[in-house]
Amino acid sequence: MRRGLHLGLLVCGAVVAALAGYWLWWALEGRPQEGRPAVGGPFELIDGDGRTVTERNFRGRHMLVYFGYTFCPDVCPTTLFNASQALDGIGPALALKVQLVFVSIDPERDTPGVVKDYAGHFHPGTVGLTGTPGQVAAAARAFRIYYRKADPDEDGGYLVDHSSILFLMDGDGRYVTHFTHEATADDMAAALKRLL
Ligand code: NI
């Protein structure tokens, strides 16, 4: 169990680092659109109360959106914790302009109730989203997110390899910038102060 978790951390870290580079190439060089990376777009997901939500529910506020899974041992909680610290750091007035959104890429285990509980561990108002496997796949595609379920262990537990990128989208749902899992809360707070 302990060894499995440790290996999982190593795998998760290596995959994340490799994918961050690949993602940058794809998004920034692959398909530019009006000078902006072609990231984001329409999506339909399910919130923590089982309601259908789309990108239109987030119009008018910036969205800090992160795709991950609640069983992730390290990268997801660390990134979301840093984003929460950054929102604390910029003060309540600016923080109101941003919605932190967590989207699960593990809908099998991350039911609406699970993502709702998970979102409750982070900045007040953080929204947790999940969906059918098809809804999640479509949303991940729109945001250029790679994910893949790893082989289950003997207890049926499994990790999900996934790219770890926190996107800042504007009030019209357009890409503004992104942060990798290596960005500190101070890095994010400085950028948010500049960009909001
Ligand atoms: Ni993760």
Side-chain angles (χ1 to χ4, degrees), residues 56-79:
R56 291 186 298 277
N57 293 78
F58 301 97
R59 288 293 182 262
R61 287 173 84 193
H62 280 67
M63 175 167 64
L64 259 182
V65 59
Y66 185 79
F67 288 72
Y69 67 116
T70 69
F71 285 79
C72 182
D74 63 342
V75 178
C76 294
T78 301
T79 308

Side-chain angles (χ1 to χ4, degrees), residues 28-136:
L28 302 179
E29 305 295 330
R31 297 174 61 182
Q33 200 178 50
E34 296 169 18
R36 290 174 191 250
V39 174
F43 61 79
E44 185 180 289
L45 292 163
I46 296 168
D47 74 7
D49 296 314
R51 292 176 301 216
T52 296
V53 298
T54 73
E55 75 289 348
R56 291 186 298 277
N57 293 78
F58 301 97
R59 288 293 182 262
R61 287 173 84 193
H62 280 67
M63 175 167 64
L64 259 182
V65 59
Y66 185 79
F67 288 72
Y69 67 116
T70 69
F71 285 79
C72 182
D74 63 342
V75 178
C76 294
T78 301
T79 308
L80 291 168
F81 179 73
N82 287 343
S84 298
Q85 294 274 90
L87 292 176
D88 286 343
I90 61 176
L94 265 189
L96 269 181
K97 295 183 173 182
V98 192
Q99 174 69 60
L100 182 57
V101 179
F102 166 78
V103 182
S104 174
I105 43 76
D106 183 17
E108 197 178 316
R109 289 182 295 190
D110 289 342
T111 61
V114 170
V115 293
K116 185 176 187 175
D117 283 352
Y118 189 69
H121 291 108
F122 301 103
H123 193 265
T126 298
V127 169
L129 302 178
T130 184
T132 65
Q135 287 174 324
V136 166

Side-chain angles (χ1 to χ4, degrees), residues 7-17 69 72-75 160-162:
L7 277 177
L9 298 187
L10 290 175
V11 169
C12 195
V15 167
V16 158
Y69 67 116
C72 182
D74 63 342
V75 178
V160 184
D161 297 333
H162 66 97

Side-chain angles (χ1 to χ4, degrees), residues 168-180:
L168 179 66
M169 312 299 286
D170 71 12
D172 295 316
R174 292 175 306 181
Y175 170 92
V176 178
T177 192
H178 69 272
F179 306 97
T180 71

